[in-house]
Structure formats: C-alpha cells, structure tokens
Amino acid sequence: MNQNPGIIGKKIGMTQIFDDKGEVIRVTVVQGGCVVLGKRTLEKDKYSALILGLGERKEKSTKKPVLGFIKKAGQTPKRWIKEMRCSAEHAAKYEVGQKVALDGIFEAGQIVDAQGTSRGRGFTGVVRKWGFAGGVSSHGTHEYFRHGGSIGTNMTPGRTLPGLKMPGQYGNETVSMLNIRVAKLILEDDLVLIEGAVPGPDGGLVVIRGAVKKKNAGKKKA
Amino acid sequence: MLTYPIIGKIEATQTREGMPEFRVGDTVRVHYRIVEGEKERVQVFQGVVLKRHRAGVRSTFTVRKVSFNVGVERVFLVHTPRIEKVEVVSRGVVRRARLFYLRGLAGKAARVRDAKD
C-alpha cells in the first residue's frame, strides 16, 4: 500500500510551460491546500493516518455525523474528506487544523503517483470500450455493424471464457497514474504542476503521493 | 467547458514580451538558439510568414524559405525562450490569412508584394 506522504487536490486543467532548456512540458495543474481534520494513531486505531479535507461545502448540505466530526476539529465543512495512510513520523509533523504545505511534501522533479476517478461513459459498446473494429458495413451485412463477434465455441468448453471483452460500464472507476513527474510547484496558489495527464475531469478530486514503486518516495536523494 | 482562471494566471507567466508585431506575408528573420551537444549557437532563419496560429501560450507561426531550390518551412512557438529575437525585414501585402498557395509556386511567382511598393 502506498503510504508515502501525499495530498488530496483538485484538478484544475491542463496547460504547458517552458522548462529552463526552453522545451515545452505539458502539465496538469492540481490545486492542493488541504487541511488536516484528524489523525489516526497507532495507540488508538492500530494504524497511523492523516484525515485530510479540501474544498468548501455548505453546512446545511453536510451530513450530521460528518458535521459533528468537523466541529470537533474546529473546521468548516469540506467538499472532500479522505483518510491517507502514512507513517507515524509523517503524521506527527502535522497538527489538527493545519494546512498541508506543498513544499513540505513534494519537490520539483519528484516522481509521484496520481489517482483519480476517470470520466464516466456509461454503458459502452465494444468498439468504444475495447477498440474492436466492428463488422464490415457491406457484403450483405444486416444489422451487425458494431458488434463484438463470437464470444466462444460450442461444446468445448461449452461456456464463455472468463475475462472476455464485452460491452458494459466504461469509466467512472479509480485510475492510478504511476511514476509521473512533478514539473513545478507554485506555492502562493498551492499548485502542483504534474507532467502529462491525470485521470478525471477538471474540478475532480485527485490524490497525489510519492511514487510507491520508487525508492525514497520518488524524491532525489536528500 | 469551464476553464479555471488559475490556468490563465500560469499561462501569463509563460508568455514573453518584446515580440515585434508582424503579420502573415511579412518577411522575418528569426534568431533561434540551437544547442549542439555542449555548445549553443544562434541560427538565423529568414523567410515569409505563412501562418500565424494565435492561441495564447500555444501560439505559433510558420516561416517558409527556399533554400537550394528546396522549400523549407519551420514552425516556431511564439513564446519559446529559444527565440532570441525576431526582426521584421519587410512588410508584405497579402489578401489571405494563410499563404499555403506559395507552396505550389516557385521563383518569381512565389513572391509576396512588398508594402512599400
């Protein structure tokens, strides 16, 4: 499990910047500025984590149990609340109510993972979902244009094999982009600029944390 | 589609000042920094502006010249720091926004009327 330090952020959109060599880097802008709402501790909860909140929510549209939790932390209701597993040492650096500063977590050039919810496309056919070619549109084809073709044989094995690509729900699932680079941090607006794309629509929630498949959470050696 | 104002703020920091005003049909000299291994030098590319693509930080312009009887076109990013400077050599008079018709012409026919004439 990725327990590297990270943030929850809002995807703002994509743009491009020039690096110091004058080359263009395509970046996704993610806005951080999340607040620590609570902690999980080894003594009480048998694991350590930070509970982070981001964005604004009206008090009247906040559920009562959540509102109670927010009030206890002395905060305003948040649009997103997420628990992030982390080491006890990392959790000890933060107080409840403290804003998570980006420069305390990321550095430019760091390798990170970004997780978001992809755009939902609903119930989708095989041509769009799996890139099937569909059928030929001539040679006597009758009502068989965007079908997936055969789904198996007859007697042997007498069933459709598991994992066969068929139509169904496409998108609206959690997608993780592993090993992508932080291009730049803009601290005054709490922005992280990440090279390349990040899953989800603009305005969506994104979880960014140090890369799980790199040493030292993807940071250059300190 | 909604674009957040923050994007505009970032893009404003990426744009450059001091680009001379030039239009399609003008002849320009583009001083472009080229990195060859360790060394860096400035190459000059002179030609007619075929096209201006105006799109904020992503703006580009295309310059065409004929070199040793071979047409050469280069697309430059307007805001790239690799452009040292752009000089306007002459102003041209054209009646199109895109001068792609020049590609099919050669020699005297491929000239653009100068604004001074």
Side-chain angles (χ1 to χ4, degrees):
Chain A
M1 188 197 298
N2 193 341
Q3 300 199 5
N4 289 328
I7 57 153
I8 58 177
K10 177 168 141 181
K11 177 169 164 181
I12 299 294
M14 291 192 73
T15 182
Q16 65 175 42
I17 59 169
F18 293 100
D19 68 3
D20 46 5
K21 288 191 202 119
E23 276 170 23
V24 169
I25 313 176
R26 290 140 277 237
V27 293
T28 307
V29 183
V30 176
Q31 188 166 42
C34 47
V35 177
V36 179
L37 298 176
K39 286 184 180 188
R40 301 279 183 228
T41 55
L42 288 174
E43 300 81 56
K44 197 163 164 249
D45 310 291
K46 307 274 191 285
Y47 66 96
S48 61
L50 288 172
I51 304 166
L52 302 177
L54 180 72
E56 293 304 316
R57 186 192 282 280
K58 282 185 201 151
E59 199 171 311
K60 66 170 184 184
S61 47
T62 310
K63 285 172 186 165
K64 286 279 162 55
V66 179
L67 198 61
F69 167 74
I70 293 277
K71 286 268 162 68
K72 215 169 90 182
Q75 293 292 316
T76 52
K78 302 293 175 203
R79 179 160 170 210
W80 294 294
I81 298 174
K82 202 164 176 66
E83 200 174 296
M84 307 260 290
R85 285 287 290 266
C86 63
S87 63
E89 299 89 71
H90 179 70
K93 286 188 218 159
Y94 293 93
E95 302 289 326
V96 170
Q98 190 183 340
K99 197 174 121 179
V100 181
L102 288 177
D103 51 348
I105 294 192
F106 300 123
E107 60 183 27
Q110 187 185 349
I111 309 291
V112 294
D113 297 340
Q115 193 174 63
T117 306
S118 65
R119 288 183 183 190
R121 293 157 176 87
F123 193 99
T124 307
V126 288
V127 173
R128 175 166 290 260
K129 189 178 179 190
W130 299 108
F132 283 13
V136 290
S137 49
S138 61
H139 297 299
T141 302
H142 178 60
E143 293 179 353
Y144 201 80
F145 295 114
R146 293 174 66 91
H147 289 230
S150 166
I151 60 165
T153 44
N154 186 6
M155 266 294 279
T156 317
R159 62 191 165 87
T160 297
L161 297 170
L164 195 84
K165 290 169 180 174
M166 285 201 235
Q169 166 70 31
Y170 178 35
N172 194 19
E173 59 180 349
T174 303
V175 178
S176 300
M177 294 290 289
L178 301 184
N179 302 333
I180 51 181
R181 198 182 301 272
V182 174
K184 197 176 173 184
L185 297 174
I186 300 175
L187 295 175
E188 59 262 36
D189 287 326
D190 294 311
L191 303 178
V192 199
L193 272 55
I194 298 175
E195 280 182 32
V198 161
D202 293 353
L205 181 72
V206 177
V207 177
I208 310 168
R209 43 197 343 176
V212 68
K213 292 189 175 175
K214 296 280 176 194
K215 283 176 192 159
N216 198 18
K219 287 191 181 186
K220 288 171 214 147
K221 286 280 142 57
Chain B
M1 208 175 72
L2 175 131
T3 309
Y4 287 89
I6 294 167
I7 298 280
K9 207 171 149 186
I10 293 171
E11 291 186 347
T13 66
Q14 297 295 315
T15 55
R16 64 183 282 161
E17 310 278 306
M19 190 56 106
E21 197 52 47
F22 61 90
R23 307 173 63 168
V24 167
D26 295 352
T27 304
V28 292
R29 287 168 71 87
V30 183
H31 296 252
Y32 194 71
R33 273 196 215 102
I34 288 181
V35 183
E36 286 174 330
E38 292 292 292
K39 269 187 278 180
E40 193 185 272
R41 65 188 181 87
V42 176
Q43 194 181 59
V44 181
F45 192 92
Q46 177 170 346
V48 181
V49 179
L50 282 199
K51 169 182 173 175
R52 291 211 61 175
H53 174 64
R54 296 178 193 266
V57 258
R58 287 171 293 279
S59 301
T60 63
F61 61 97
T62 305
V63 182
R64 176 183 171 89
K65 71 168 178 181
V66 177
S67 175
F68 302 106
N69 285 325
V70 179
V72 181
E73 282 179 24
R74 282 201 72 169
V75 182
F76 295 98
L77 283 160
V78 171
H79 296 291
T80 174
R82 287 211 178 156
I83 293 181
E84 203 159 85
K85 62 175 173 180
V86 175
E87 293 171 70
V88 182
V89 178
S90 63
R91 304 276 176 192
V93 179
V94 288
R95 300 171 76 162
R96 316 236 170 284
R98 304 281 145 102
L99 303 184
F100 298 143
Y101 68 88
L102 288 180
R103 290 171 179 163
L105 303 176
K108 278 191 168 181
R111 288 172 305 174
V112 171
R113 187 152 63 91
D114 200 310
K116 274 181 289 194
D117 300 338

